[in-house]
Amino acid sequence: MTGAMSRDRLPDETMRAELRELAVELAIEAGRFVRDERPEHVDVRKTKASALDVVTIMDTRCEEMLRGSIAAERPQDAVLGEEDGLSEGSTGLTWVLDPIDGTVNYLYDIPAYAVSVAVVVGDPTLPGGWTPVAGAVFNPGVDEIFAAHLGGGATLSAAGTSTFPRPRALSVPEPESLARALVGTGFSYDTELRGVQGRVATALLPQIRDLRRMGAASLDLCAVAAGRLNGYYERGLEPWDMAAGMLVATEAGALVTGVEAPPSREMIVAAAPGVHGDLLAALQRALADAEG
């Protein structure tokens, strides 16, 4: 269990705003560490399959930093991280952490990776059993921080060396139609699932403006919030991949769902409200054909 606070006993507005600010601070601190401590030369032949891999080492060190900072500020909260799993808490709040989202981009020094920090109510290991209440996604490669709290809207700030200019409020723009929508997605490292995803993408492409695959789910969701994408879908995501990004997208006005259930490993679909239904229908048809 992750505490006694149920989904209908959300933190109040003041607390949600405070959690948002802490998430921002944590994401920036960890993101700058990941960026600044990245080895100058990384062997791109390595993957996360090895415990000695530089990417795994940086993932682990970053998550340890985040967990230490959370323990210092809010020691009674639970924590769920990609690297070290779930630690127990007593407040009903769980911090959901992705220390490096977009590890392959990080490996190749492509500036499209992020530290994702979210706070949720409910059980983040149970599909549909949790609600994000605050979160931040920091892309240290371009010094951008996305942030949101439940009911408080979403913002984007460009970072300087130590201070941030006034955050820009995000509001999802509406494309004219699905045919004019730029859509993002991602692909699994599981070869069988990747084959299905490829067939879905092939079916979807003629129905949209174009398809993008940037390699970091949290940034894809934030891109919907910022109008850089009009829609996004992906299978195989874990809570830490999507918790902060889906809150940013939702607070900016996007609709975020699954296909026939809440967002989960089965599917997440985020889009401007005017094209969400059409994108969802197109994906349902494509999935039926790809898996048939």
Side-chain angles (χ1 to χ4, degrees):
M1 296 296 291
T2 57
M5 184 180 294
S6 66
R7 295 178 67 195
D8 59 351
R9 293 180 58 197
L10 299 173
D12 64 23
E13 166 68 21
T14 299
M15 185 175 181
R16 296 198 300 270
E18 291 174 353
L19 291 168
R20 172 185 184 151
E21 291 305 309
L22 181 55
V24 167
E25 292 173 11
L26 293 171
I28 292 170
E29 177 188 27
R32 287 179 172 163
F33 165 77
V34 166
R35 179 192 65 197
D36 296 344
E37 295 297 318
R38 182 185 183 276
E40 183 177 354
H41 301 289
V42 178
D43 186 349
V44 298
R45 293 172 299 176
K46 294 182 179 180
T47 70
K48 292 184 72 175
S50 168
L52 300 179
D53 183 344
V54 66
V55 177
T56 297
I57 291 169
M58 291 304 292
D59 275 322
T60 302
R61 290 178 65 191
C62 182
E63 185 167 318
E64 288 174 349
M65 172 184 285
L66 288 166
R67 286 177 178 268
S69 297
I70 292 166
E73 295 288 337
R74 297 190 56 84
Q76 302 306 314
D77 292 349
V79 180
L80 173 65
E82 180 178 15
E83 303 303 320
D84 291 330
L86 181 65
S87 65
E88 298 292 333
S90 59
T91 64
L93 297 174
T94 303
W95 293 81
V96 181
L97 311 174
D98 194 338
I100 306 178
D101 183 27
T103 50
V104 173
N105 287 345
Y106 180 72
L107 184 66
Y108 280 81
D109 200 21
I110 297 170
Y113 59 91
V115 175
S116 177
V117 178
V119 187
V120 310
V121 170
D123 185 349
T125 67
L126 179 65
W130 50 279
T131 300
V133 295
V137 177
F138 180 50
N139 180 348
V142 296
D143 267 334
E144 286 188 338
I145 181 79
F146 296 86
H149 69 269
L150 188 65
T155 58
L156 167 61
S157 296
T161 55
S162 59
T163 59
F164 284 78
R166 184 177 179 84
R168 174 168 68 90
L170 297 178
S171 180
V172 173
E174 286 286 1
E176 295 177 10
S177 64
L178 183 62
R180 297 291 183 269
L182 184 63
V183 177
T185 192
F187 297 107
S188 171
Y189 294 109
D190 179 282
T191 55
E192 183 175 350
L193 178 54
R194 179 173 282 203
V196 174
Q197 290 171 323
R199 292 191 290 275
V200 170
T202 299
L204 184 63
L205 262 172
Q207 305 176 63
I208 60 177
R209 182 187 293 275
D210 208 346
L211 191 65
R212 295 288 182 270
R213 191 271 200 262
M214 292 181 280
S218 62
L219 293 178
D220 286 328
L221 286 160
C222 290
V224 174
R228 297 170 180 175
L229 294 172
N230 304 121
Y232 163 74
Y233 73 95
E234 189 165 351
R235 292 180 73 178
L237 297 187
E238 301 290 351
W240 48 79
D241 296 309
M242 56 183 168
M246 65 186 279
L247 180 62
V248 171
T250 300
E251 286 296 320
L255 293 182
V256 182
T257 69
V259 172
E260 296 179 351
S264 69
R265 282 185 56 83
E266 291 301 311
M267 184 68 78
I268 183 170
V269 183
V275 297
H276 184 276
D278 290 339
L279 176 59
L280 190 61
L283 287 170
Q284 287 174 315
R285 293 191 297 270
L287 281 166
D289 291 341
E291 296 174 341

